[in-house]
Amino acid sequence: MSTAQAKPEQPKSPGKEQPRYPTTGEPISTIARRAKAGLWTLIVMDAAGTIAIIIAYSYLWSLNVNGGWAPPGASLTGSETDQSLPSSPPTASFAVEWPFWAIFGLVIISTLAMWFGYRELKRGNHAGMVVGTGAALVVAVGALVAQWIQISTFPFAAGDGAYASAVLLLCASNIFNLLILIFLQLGMLIRTSKGLVSQAVHYQPQILSYWMVWLCIAFLLGAICTSFMVESPNLDPAIFGTFQQQS
Amino acid sequence: MSTETITQTATVFGDEVPQPRQYGKPGGIMRRLNMGTALVGGIGLAAIAGFVANALVPSGASTVTFAPVAPDIVYLAILVGWTIGFSVGIGAFVGPIRWLFGRDLTHADAEYMAGKDLGVKRYFKFTTDHKVVGVQYLVVFAFILGFGGLLAMLIRTELGVTWSEVFSPAFYNSMIGTHGIAMIIAMIISVMGPIANFIMPIMIGARDMAFPRLNALSLWLVVVAALCLVSTLFTGGIQDGWSVYQPLASQGPPAMLGYQMTIIVFAISTGVASVNLMVTALTMRAKGMTWSRTPIFVYGIFGAALMGLYAFPFFQYSQIMALTDRIWNTSFFNPLQGGSVWLYENLFWLLGHPEVYVIIIPGTVVLFELMPVFMRKPLFSFNFAVAGIVGVVALSGLVWAHHMYMTGWAPAANYPFMLSTEMISIPVGFLVLVVIGTMWRGLVWTRLPIMAVYAVIFNKMIGGVTGIYLSDVPVDQYMHGTMFVVAHFHYMLMGAGLFGAMAGLAFYFPKMTGRVLDERTASIGFWTAFTGFQITFMAMFVAGLQGMPRRVLQFDSLFNAPNWISTIGAYIIGLGMLIFAGAVVSSWISGDKAPANPFGSKSLEWQTPTPVPLENFAVLPVVTERPYNYGVPDPYEKELQEADQDLHPEEVGSR
C-alpha cells in the first residue's frame, strides 16, 4: 500500500482553534465523533438485551404453558392448571399498570431536563447546564426509588409463575439502567461544575442525552408489555410435565 | 475546558496540548495495581463473600426442585466476589471513578497506562496499548486452548479405552461440557483477540484502538470468565453439554452457576471488545483509506464484531434467566410454573449460530490478508469478498432454529429455516471463490502461512458440505445427536477457525513478537496436527453414519473401531499442537530478530518498524492506493526489460 505522511488532523476552521484532547492531542471533534459511534454501538447491544427480555415476556405470555402465566389467584383464563404445585397462597394478582407509566414518565422528564441543560450549554449558559443536569439527576433518583417501591410492593413473589418472573426481570433491567444513568448524570454534574464540560467541549452531555432517548424507548417497551400483554390470549394452553392430555 | 483546570501543557506528537491537573505521579493508583493485586482482591473478596453467604443462608432451605439452596448461594457469592474483587484489583474501575470525579487523565497518565518504559511488567497490568493487549490475548487464548485441548484428550481417552471406564460418568459429562464452552471461548478470541487487537489499528493507520481502557477491560474480563469456568470442575461440573439445556441445567450441580457467570462475564467482554473494534474501524482509518482501500481483514473483523454485538446479549440474558430460576425460583424455563424450555433454546441459539460465524469469518479474512502477499497478486474480487461477509452477517441471525428441528418447536418453521440455512452457503461460497480465485495462477511463495490456507480450504469444504446435509430436515432427523454432527462442527470451528488462526499467527508472528518464527518446526507441528485432525474426525464421521450418539460414555462394540482410530488421531493432534507451540515459544524466546517487513507486504502494518513503537506511527500516514496492488507493474521492470534487450540471451538467462 503506497502511503505518504501527513500531519495530525487539523481543525476544519483554521481561524478558530479547537480544544485538544489531553491524552492524544486530537481535536475534540475527532474524539466526539468516535464517542458518538461508540454510543450507537452500545445502543445496539443494549437494544439486543432489551429485545431478549421482551421476547421472553411475549413468548411466555403467548404460550401460557400449563396455564402458569398468571400469578395464582389472578388467572382469569379458566385454563387447566396444575394446582398441586402452588408456590405461594393463591392471593397474588397482576401488577397495577399505572406505576410502569409513572416511572416511564419520570424517565421522560429526566431526559427533557438533560436536553434542556445540553441546549443551554450550547448557548453558553453554563449555569443552565448545571441546573438541567441536576434536575435530571434528581428525577432519575426519583424514578429509581419509585421502581424500587414498585418491586417491593408487587402483589406476587418471584416464584408466582411466568408473569411474575418476566415483570420482575423487566423491572430489574430498569433498575440496572437507572443506576448507570444516575452514575453518568452525577459524573456530568461534577464535571460540569468543575468546568470540564463547557460550550466548547460538550460532546459528553450530548451523548448522554441521546442515550437517555434510547432509555425512554426501552422503558416504553416495558410499559407497553406490562399494560397490554397482561392476561394470556392462550385459553387452551399446552400441558407439559404433568402427563395430562391437552383438552 | 476551563482555564482554572489547566495547570500545564504537554507536547503530544509535536503540539503543545493543555493538560488537566496531574494528581501525584503519572498513572496514579494504577502504578500499584497489577495481576498480583487482582488475584489478592479476587480471592479475598470471594472468600469474604462466601463466608458471609454461608453465615446468612439457612442450612435447610431448598429450591423448587428440592435441591439445597445453601451451596448455590455460597458459590454464587464466591463467583460475584471473585469477579468484582479481581476487577477492582486490576484497576478496571479506576477509569470510571476518575471520570466521575473529573480527574481526567493527562498525557503522562495515558502513556503510563499504555505501558511506556514498564518493560515486561506491562503484560501483567491493566495496560491500554493495543499491542500489549494483543499479546496478552494471545497468551490467554493459548491457556484456554490448552485447557480445552487437555479435556479433549481425556474425553478421547475415555472413548478409546472401550474395555473399561476411565472416568466416572459424571466427570466424563463435565469434561464434555467444559471442553465445549472452553473451546468456544478460545475460538471466539483466537483471531479477534490477538491479531485484531495487535494488527488492526496499525493496519488502518491508527495510533491505538478507539477506547483503549475498554480494550484492556475486555481482556481481563476474559481472564475472570475463564477462571469462573475452571471453578466448575470443582463444584460438580457442567454435566449437560456446552449448551446446558433446560431443565437439565436447573437440576444440575452448583457448577451450573459457574457456567452462567462465565457466560455473563464473557458476554460483557465480547460486547465491549465489539464496540471497540467497530468504532476503531469506522472512525480511525488513516486519511485516504476509503472503504475500497480498506483491507478486507477490517471488514471481516467489523462483521464478526457486529454479530457478537447483537447476538451475545441473547445468550447473556438466557443465562441471567437460568440463574434467577435457580436462585430466586423464577420460572422462565420451568414448565410447571408457566416457563418454557423452548424459550431457552431459542435465546441460546440466537447466539449459538451467529457465534459460528464470529469464529469463522475472522479465521477466513486473515487468510485473505496473507494470500495476496504469498501469491504476489491482488485479492481476487475484493467486492465478492465484501459481499460474502455482508451476506453472512445478514443471514447469520436467521438460521438459529436449524439447531432445533428435532426439539418439536414450531415444526412448520423447519422448512423456512432449512431454506435460510442453505442460503447462507451462497455468501460462504463467495468467500471460497475469493480464495480459489486468488490462488489461481498465483506465483506461490511456499511458506507456512500459505500452506495453512490449503489446509483450511480442505477442512472448510468438508465442514461446509456436511453442514448442508445437516441443514436438511430429513437428513437431520437421522443425523441429529450423532457423532456426525460433532465431526461436522469440529471441521468448521477447528478445521477452519483454529487452523486459520494458526495461519494468521504464523504470518503476523514477526510483527507481534519481533522474532522470526521457526517455520520448519512449526510446519512439522502444523501438518502433524492436520493429519491427526483428519484421522480423528473422519473416523468420527464414520461412527456418526453408523449411528453412534454423541455425549455418551458407553456404546455398542459396533463403534469400537472408529473410536480407537479417532482417539489415535486425537493424540496425534495433541502431539502436533505441542510441536507447534514449542516452535512458537522457542522462537519467541530465542528466535532471530525479525526485519520490519519480512514478507514484502504492501499493507500498512508492515511499513512500521519492528518492534512497533508505542505510538505506531511517528507521523500518521496517508493512503493513496488499494492494499493488494501486487499486480501493478513495477516501474523498474520496464527498464530491466529494455536493458535485457542489449544483453546476450545467455547473460539474461543467468540473471
Side-chain angles (χ1 to χ4, degrees):
Chain A
M1 184 180 293
S2 289
T3 59
Q5 292 187 330
K7 281 262 180 192
E9 193 173 337
Q10 296 298 319
K12 284 175 183 170
S13 51
K16 194 176 173 184
E17 182 69 21
Q18 274 199 52
R20 298 286 183 132
Y21 195 61
T23 57
T24 62
E26 295 167 293
I28 287 293
S29 60
T30 304
I31 300 294
R33 194 163 66 94
R34 205 172 290 159
K36 280 179 203 163
L39 169 76
W40 290 115
T41 52
L42 276 176
I43 287 177
V44 169
M45 187 167 72
D46 199 42
T50 303
I51 290 169
I53 298 174
I54 301 292
I55 286 175
Y57 187 105
S58 53
Y59 191 87
L60 298 177
W61 167 76
S62 64
L63 281 185
N64 189 22
V65 178
N66 280 348
W69 166 254
S75 175
L76 304 174
T77 61
S79 61
E80 195 173 350
T81 308
D82 181 5
Q83 295 293 335
S84 62
L85 291 164
S87 52
S88 63
T91 54
S93 63
F94 291 114
V96 180
E97 291 162 20
W98 69 262
F100 293 105
W101 292 98
I103 293 164
F104 168 59
L106 288 174
V107 175
I108 285 192
I109 293 169
S110 181
T111 305
L112 290 174
M114 193 68 220
W115 274 97
F116 165 80
Y118 170 58
R119 192 189 64 175
E120 291 302 304
L121 181 72
K122 282 213 302 185
R123 287 178 177 173
N125 180 3
H126 197 259
M129 173 68 192
V130 173
V131 170
T133 312
L137 176 61
V138 169
V139 177
V141 171
L144 180 68
V145 172
Q147 184 66 80
W148 184 255
I149 291 171
Q150 188 197 26
I151 284 187
S152 54
T153 56
F154 272 141
F156 47 75
D160 284 337
Y163 168 83
S165 306
V167 169
L168 282 168
L169 183 64
L170 262 174
C171 293
S173 166
N174 286 352
I175 284 189
F176 179 74
N177 275 327
L178 285 168
L179 284 171
I180 297 227
L181 176 64
I182 288 166
F183 176 85
L184 294 172
Q185 287 176 332
L186 183 62
M188 206 59 68
L189 188 63
I190 293 171
R191 296 173 68 80
T192 308
S193 307
K194 283 190 159 190
L196 293 165
V197 172
S198 64
Q199 189 180 15
V201 186
H202 62 256
Y203 72 94
Q204 290 185 347
Q206 184 188 26
I207 286 170
L208 180 56
S209 303
Y210 281 128
W211 172 256
M212 291 182 70
V213 172
W214 154 245
L215 279 193
C216 288
I217 295 169
F219 275 72
L220 174 65
L221 289 173
I224 287 173
C225 280
T226 50
S227 297
F228 300 108
M229 296 161 69
V230 181
E231 291 174 31
S232 173
N234 191 356
L235 302 180
D236 189 16
I239 305 296
F240 292 105
T242 55
F243 302 103
Q244 293 177 33
Q245 292 285 326
Q246 191 170 353
S247 58
Chain B
M1 194 176 300
S2 68
T3 50
E4 61 267 22
T5 61
I6 297 167
T7 56
Q8 57 183 348
T9 61
T11 307
V12 185
F13 303 116
D15 291 331
E16 286 299 311
V17 179
Q19 295 291 296
R21 186 178 156 194
Q22 174 86 57
Y23 295 90
K25 290 181 181 176
I29 194 171
M30 294 302 289
R31 299 178 76 86
R32 300 178 186 279
L33 301 179
N34 53 42
M35 202 171 161
T37 54
L39 287 172
V40 169
I43 294 168
L45 197 56
I48 292 168
F51 279 121
V52 170
N54 194 42
L56 293 180
V57 180
S59 58
S62 63
T63 67
V64 73
T65 54
F66 310 108
V69 164
D72 277 3
I73 299 283
V74 172
Y75 184 39
L76 181 63
I78 288 171
L79 290 167
V80 173
W82 157 254
T83 302
I84 295 174
F86 189 93
S87 302
V88 169
I90 199 70
F93 295 121
V94 170
I97 289 170
R98 283 187 69 143
W99 177 87
L100 178 71
F101 293 110
R103 293 190 167 192
D104 282 354
L105 294 182
T106 62
H107 181 61
D109 284 328
E111 282 195 323
Y112 179 87
M113 289 184 68
K116 188 181 182 188
D117 301 329
L118 285 179
V120 179
K121 283 183 187 171
R122 68 190 192 278
Y123 293 106
F124 300 94
K125 292 173 76 77
F126 193 84
T127 305
T128 55
D129 179 25
H130 70 99
K131 298 179 287 296
V132 174
V133 175
V135 171
Q136 288 171 323
Y137 256 118
L138 181 60
V139 174
V140 171
F141 159 69
F143 272 107
I144 300 176
L145 184 74
F147 172 65
L150 179 65
L151 292 174
M153 294 289 106
L154 297 178
I155 291 165
R156 283 312 324 169
T157 303
E158 175 65 63
L159 294 176
V161 182
T162 53
W163 53 90
S164 71
E165 271 186 15
V166 180
F167 305 108
S168 71
F171 187 68
Y172 173 79
N173 283 343
S174 316
M175 289 194 299
I176 295 270
T178 314
H179 160 75
I181 192 62
M183 286 307 208
I184 291 288
I185 291 174
M187 294 319 303
I188 287 173
I189 66 172
S190 63
V191 174
M192 298 267 281
I195 300 176
N197 268 295
F198 194 108
I199 297 297
M200 198 182 82
I202 316 175
M203 184 181 266
I204 62 172
R207 288 207 164 97
D208 204 335
M209 298 285 273
F211 307 113
R213 278 181 285 183
L214 283 188
N215 205 20
L217 178 66
S218 73
L219 174 275
W220 287 107
L221 285 179
V222 175
V223 176
V224 171
L227 288 167
C228 286
L229 181 62
V230 171
S231 75
T232 61
L233 287 176
F234 305 100
T235 51
I238 302 165
Q239 296 189 21
D240 38 2
W242 83 280
S243 53
V244 294
Y245 270 9
Q246 301 289 338
L248 277 177
S250 62
Q251 298 159 9
M256 291 302 122
L257 292 164
Y259 175 90
Q260 287 148 9
M261 200 69 187
T262 301
I263 299 306
I264 291 167
V265 175
F266 183 62
I268 298 170
S269 163
T270 308
V272 294
S274 296
V275 166
N276 216 354
L277 290 165
M278 289 173 72
V279 175
T280 303
L282 281 173
T283 65
M284 296 187 72
R285 283 170 294 126
K287 277 189 177 175
M289 186 174 276
T290 57
W291 283 111
S292 63
R293 290 177 185 164
T294 301
I296 196 69
F297 183 76
V298 179
Y299 282 89
I301 293 299
F302 185 90
L306 178 59
M307 286 187 282
L309 193 73
Y310 85 75
F312 256 99
F314 290 100
F315 194 14
Q316 186 181 31
Y317 273 93
S318 74
Q319 299 312 314
I320 290 172
M321 291 173 202
L323 191 148
T324 60
D325 271 11
R326 194 180 175 96
I327 299 290
W328 287 287
N329 285 345
T330 57
S331 47
F332 291 102
F333 310 128
N334 179 5
L336 292 176
Q337 291 181 293
S340 169
V341 292
W342 282 326
L343 171 63
Y344 179 85
E345 294 182 23
N346 276 288
L347 291 174
F348 177 85
W349 288 113
L350 273 165
L351 163 90
H353 206 78
E355 156 261 312
V356 173
Y357 302 111
V358 172
I359 292 169
I360 289 175
I361 292 290
T364 303
V365 291
V366 80
L367 306 182
F368 289 178
E369 211 52 55
L370 66 90
M371 285 175 62
V373 178
F374 292 96
M375 298 288 179
R376 279 299 184 265
K377 62 191 287 253
L379 188 71
F380 176 76
S381 188
F382 182 86
N383 292 342
F384 256 77
V386 174
I389 293 166
V390 170
V392 168
V393 173
L395 287 171
S396 66
L398 302 174
V399 296
W400 79 92
H402 68 224
H403 293 272
M404 297 165 59
Y405 289 155
M406 303 305 296
T407 62
W409 177 76
N414 283 355
Y415 292 97
F417 278 103
M418 185 172 97
L419 181 66
S420 64
T421 305
E422 291 184 350
M423 274 173 64
I424 209 165
S425 62
I426 297 171
V428 172
F430 285 5
L431 302 178
V432 176
L433 182 69
V434 171
V435 174
I436 293 170
T438 307
M439 288 198 294
W440 186 254
R441 293 184 174 176
L443 297 169
V444 184
W445 183 14
T446 306
R447 301 286 296 266
L448 174 57
I450 201 69
M451 287 195 289
V453 174
Y454 306 143
V456 171
I457 287 298
F458 181 81
N459 291 338
K460 193 180 248 183
M461 188 178 66
I462 293 171
V465 170
T466 52
I468 293 174
Y469 295 165
L470 291 171
S471 72
D472 284 336
V473 177
V475 179
D476 191 62
Q477 285 178 336
Y478 177 74
M479 297 294 186
H480 179 84
T482 67
M483 282 298 204
F484 189 91
V485 179
V486 180
H488 153 70
F489 70 70
H490 276 88
Y491 262 95
M492 292 309 283
L493 300 184
M494 186 178 175
L498 180 59
F499 285 108
M502 289 164 78
L505 177 62
F507 181 50
Y508 286 116
F509 186 84
K511 186 56 71 179
M512 291 178 74
T513 64
R515 303 281 177 172
V516 175
L517 178 65
D518 174 8
E519 279 193 33
R520 182 185 166 84
T521 311
S523 295
I524 292 169
F526 181 87
W527 288 114
T528 306
F530 179 81
T531 307
F533 179 82
Q534 304 307 327
I535 294 169
T536 304
F537 294 104
M538 283 294 178
M540 211 175 275
F541 273 133
V542 172
L545 284 169
Q546 289 177 327
M548 180 179 169
R550 63 193 287 203
R551 294 171 177 161
V552 291
L553 178 70
Q554 293 168 330
F555 43 83
D556 193 274
S557 57
L558 167 71
F559 308 119
N560 280 355
N563 275 287
W564 291 332
I565 295 169
S566 206
T567 297
I568 291 166
Y571 279 104
I572 296 173
I573 296 176
L575 177 67
M577 296 302 282
L578 282 176
I579 295 171
F580 187 87
V584 167
V585 172
S586 67
S587 303
W588 201 338
I589 293 170
S590 58
D592 294 337
K593 288 196 173 175
N597 190 2
F599 306 120
S601 172
K602 284 183 167 238
S603 48
L604 267 181
E605 71 274 19
W606 294 101
Q607 314 311 319
T608 55
T610 299
V612 185
L614 181 63
E615 69 279 9
N616 296 348
F617 303 95
V619 177
L620 289 176
V622 173
V623 178
T624 57
E625 63 176 27
R626 289 186 169 209
Y628 312 113
N629 276 355
Y630 294 99
V632 176
D634 189 334
Y636 296 106
E637 195 176 359
K638 194 177 175 186
E639 289 177 24
L640 202 60
Q641 285 171 349
E642 286 169 359
D644 286 349
Q645 289 172 356
D646 301 331
L647 294 174
H648 191 273
E650 288 175 1
E651 290 176 283
V652 177
S654 66
R655 175 177 284 167

